[in-house]
Amino acid sequence: MKRITFIAILLSLSLFSCSKKSDIVELQNWNFGGRPKLIEFLRQRVYSFEKIHPGISVTNSDKSWNMIREILYADFSAGAGPDVMNTHSNFAAEFGQAGFYYPVNKFPDFEQVKQWYVPHLLESTRYKDNYYGLPSSAIAFVLCCNKELFDKEGLTPPKTWSQFRETAKRLTKDADGDGVLDQFGLVLMGGDKGGFAYRMIPFFFKAGVNVMSEDLTKIEFNAPMGVAALKLMADMYQIDHSITPGFLAYTHSEINDLFCSNKVAMSIEGPWFRGMVGDKSPGKDMYVVPVPVPDNMIAQYDTAPTLQDMVMYSINAHSKHLNEAWELLKHLRNEEADMFWITQDLGATPTTKHALGSSEAQSVKDIKVYINELNHARPWPPHPSMVAIASNVFTPYCQKAIVGELTPNAALDQAAKEAQEIIDEKK
C-alpha cells in the first residue's frame, strides 16, 4: 500500500512539474556579431528581462554576422528560426516582403515606442507601409586615420579626393629600408563581400551618385561620378601602389592588425573601430573624419552623404509568442538600454533622442562627427534584392576594376546590367 501511495505521489509531482514547465514561454534570441562587450551587455539585458518577466525564458545564441542572410533564409524557409534577432535594417525590404518579419507597427503601443527614436533613423527599419524592427545601433561610415603615422609626416586628414590620393601616396613607403613596401596609405576590406560594398559606396554617395532611381526601378551606380570614384581606387592600387596588395583577403581581423602595427594609415570604418583598435593596442589614437569628397565638392565636405547602416531588432512573423517577443524587443531597445551605447563602448551610435541628447553623450569621443554624418547619411535603397546586389554583383565587379581585370567603366556597366536584370525579375 505504501509503495502504491509513494508512486502516486511521484506521478502527481511529475504532472505538476510538467504543468508548471508548460506555463513558461520560451523565446529564442539570436545575436549576430558584435564585440565581446556588446555580447556580454546583451546577456545581462536578457537576464534583467527575465527578472521582471518570470513567466518568460530567453535562450541567447550567438551567430556569425557574415552569415546572417544564409542562416536566416534557411530557417525562415523551413518555418523555423528565432523569435527575435538583430540584422541589418536593409533586410526590412527583403524579409519584410517575403513575410518573414512581423510588422512591429501592428502592436497597440507602437506609436508610443516610436517616439523614443530619432525619426530618420527609425525610418531605416521601414519598408513600404510597415516597420519591421526597432533600431539598435546607428552606423555612419567615416575615414579613420592612424594618428601616429599622420603626425610623423606632419599630415592632416584629407578632405578631397586629390588630397586623399596624395596622402595615401605619402604614407606608402619602405619603412624598414629592405627595398620592399611595407607601409600603405589605405586598406580595404576585400575578404568580406558585404563589408567591401559598405566601404566602397560612401565614395559614390559623397560624389552624388544614386545606387538606384527613386522609384527603385533603375540601377544608377554606373553614372560618370560612380566610374570616377572607382577609378580613384583603381589608380591608387595599380599606379600608386598605396592600397595594401593583399586587400582581397582582408576582413576585420587583418585590418585591425595592420592598423595597430602601423602597416596602414587609413581605413573606411564605423564607430566600432576605435574600440577594436584600443582592445588590441591600448592608447593608440586616430583621427575620425568624414569620407573625402570630389575636389569640386569641397564646399559640401560636411554635408555630402556617406552610407548610413543600421542594425535593428526584428520579430519572426511565425513566432508563436508575438506579444512576448515584442516585450523582449522593447526591453532590448528602450531608452534605458540605449544609454549603454553612451556609457559603455559597445561599438555604435545610439538611436534614441534621450541618449543622443544626454549630457553624458557630449563626452563620447567622435560622437559629434558620427551625429553630423548620420544627419546627412543615406542607407542602401530599400529594395528586396539590394543586399544581394551589393554583395554579389557590385562588390566583385568593383574588385575586378581595382586590381585591373576590367576598366572601371566596363566593370560598373556590367555590374549595372546584371543588377538591372535582378530587379526587373522582381517587378
Side-chain angles (χ1 to χ4, degrees):
M1 184 65 179
K2 288 183 179 180
R3 178 180 173 83
I4 294 172
T5 302
F6 178 69
I7 292 173
I9 292 172
L10 283 179
L11 286 171
S12 298
L13 289 172
S14 176
L15 288 170
F16 176 76
S17 174
C18 290
S19 174
K20 187 175 181 180
K21 185 176 180 180
S22 68
D23 292 338
I24 300 295
V25 171
E26 297 183 357
L27 297 178
Q28 291 285 332
N29 175 44
W30 285 7
N31 171 63
F32 288 92
R35 293 170 52 215
K37 286 176 71 173
L38 173 59
I39 293 171
E40 180 56 31
F41 161 73
L42 291 173
R43 286 175 181 158
Q44 291 299 320
R45 199 70 192 158
V46 165
Y47 177 74
S48 67
F49 174 79
E50 291 178 324
K51 283 288 186 183
I52 59 178
H53 295 87
I56 304 175
S57 173
V58 182
T59 300
N60 272 338
S61 296
D62 295 319
K63 308 289 184 181
S64 167
W65 179 259
N66 296 330
M67 294 293 289
I68 292 176
R69 192 164 179 270
E70 292 80 357
I71 291 172
L72 288 179
Y73 246 119
D75 282 88
F76 285 158
S77 298
D83 298 278
V84 172
M85 71 233 79
N86 65 320
T87 65
H88 283 294
S89 62
N90 303 94
F91 286 120
E94 184 173 3
F95 290 165
Q97 177 174 278
F100 294 150
Y101 281 170
Y102 185 79
V104 296
N105 48 285
K106 290 188 176 182
F107 291 108
D109 60 344
F110 175 75
E111 286 302 317
Q112 297 165 259
V113 172
K114 186 178 178 181
Q115 302 310 310
W116 296 344
Y117 299 100
V118 175
H120 75 272
L121 298 180
L122 177 65
E123 285 303 300
S124 294
T125 70
R126 181 177 179 175
Y127 177 61
K128 294 186 176 179
D129 295 330
N130 288 315
Y131 293 86
Y132 288 100
L134 296 181
S136 168
S137 49
I139 297 165
F141 281 83
V142 297
L143 180 67
C144 294
C145 305
N146 188 320
K147 187 176 186 297
E148 183 177 347
L149 297 183
F150 269 72
D151 290 355
K152 188 183 293 185
E153 293 291 326
L155 296 170
T156 56
K159 293 184 176 182
T160 65
W161 285 3
S162 62
Q163 292 172 2
F164 178 61
R165 184 175 178 184
E166 183 58 33
T167 298
K169 286 169 67 175
R170 285 274 302 274
L171 291 165
T172 298
K173 58 179 61 182
D174 170 15
D176 61 9
D178 67 353
V180 179
L181 292 176
D182 51 18
Q183 177 183 304
F184 298 88
L186 178 68
V187 62
L188 294 172
M189 186 184 285
D192 174 344
K193 292 189 294 183
F196 176 90
Y198 279 69
R199 286 156 178 79
M200 187 71 217
I201 208 66
F203 286 88
F204 285 59
F205 283 176
K206 289 285 182 180
V209 177
N210 296 320
V211 174
M212 298 174 73
S213 60
E214 191 172 340
D215 64 3
L216 305 180
T217 62
K218 189 176 186 303
I219 294 292
E220 296 183 346
F221 58 63
N222 58 331
M225 287 307 294
V227 175
L230 186 54
K231 186 176 186 302
L232 171 67
M233 295 295 177
D235 287 347
M236 289 172 66
Y237 182 84
Q238 297 173 41
I239 299 172
D240 304 341
H241 307 294
S242 60
I243 296 177
T244 49
F247 84 91
L248 288 175
Y250 293 159
T251 61
H252 270 305
S253 178
E254 290 80 15
I255 289 173
N256 195 27
D257 289 346
L258 291 166
F259 195 93
C260 290
S261 61
N262 286 341
K263 298 298 184 184
V264 297
M266 294 183 285
S267 185
I268 311 300
E269 298 294 339
W272 57 81
F273 196 57
R274 183 178 287 278
M276 284 181 61
V277 169
D279 288 344
K280 186 171 184 65
S281 183
K284 188 164 188 62
D285 205 357
M286 66 181 74
Y287 296 112
V288 174
V289 297
V291 171
V293 297
D295 289 39
N296 65 346
M297 294 177 62
I298 183 59
Q300 294 155 266
Y301 174 67
D302 292 317
T303 58
T306 186
L307 174 66
Q308 177 222 289
D309 189 19
M310 180 71 67
V311 178
M312 68 176 183
Y313 274 88
S314 300
I315 296 175
N316 186 342
H318 299 291
S319 170
K320 296 177 181 177
H321 308 290
L322 290 173
N323 290 325
E324 291 83 357
W326 175 235
E327 291 303 314
L328 173 60
L329 213 66
K330 290 186 293 183
H331 188 77
L332 293 174
R333 292 307 314 132
N334 63 21
E335 293 171 312
E336 176 196 49
D338 205 44
M339 276 300 296
F340 283 89
W341 295 103
I342 294 292
T343 58
Q344 298 183 28
D345 180 16
L346 299 181
T349 308
T351 57
T352 64
K353 290 176 278 189
H354 172 74
L356 288 170
S358 66
S359 58
E360 295 92 332
Q362 306 311 308
S363 61
V364 176
K365 209 158 191 177
D366 312 322
I367 197 164
K368 289 183 179 179
V369 175
Y370 283 114
I371 290 176
N372 180 71
E373 290 300 287
L374 283 169
N375 284 337
H376 303 287
R378 300 168 56 189
W380 290 99
H383 189 281
S385 297
M386 191 65 252
V387 175
I389 288 172
S391 296
N392 302 327
V393 180
F394 180 78
T395 286
Y397 278 106
C398 284
Q399 291 180 341
K400 287 179 181 180
I402 291 173
V403 301
E405 292 180 22
L406 292 170
T407 67
N409 193 81
L412 287 182
D413 278 349
Q414 185 60 34
K417 180 176 180 293
E418 292 187 16
Q420 188 67 49
E421 290 171 355
I422 292 172
I423 64 173
D424 286 346
E425 289 176 2
K426 291 288 183 179
K427 287 181 182 178

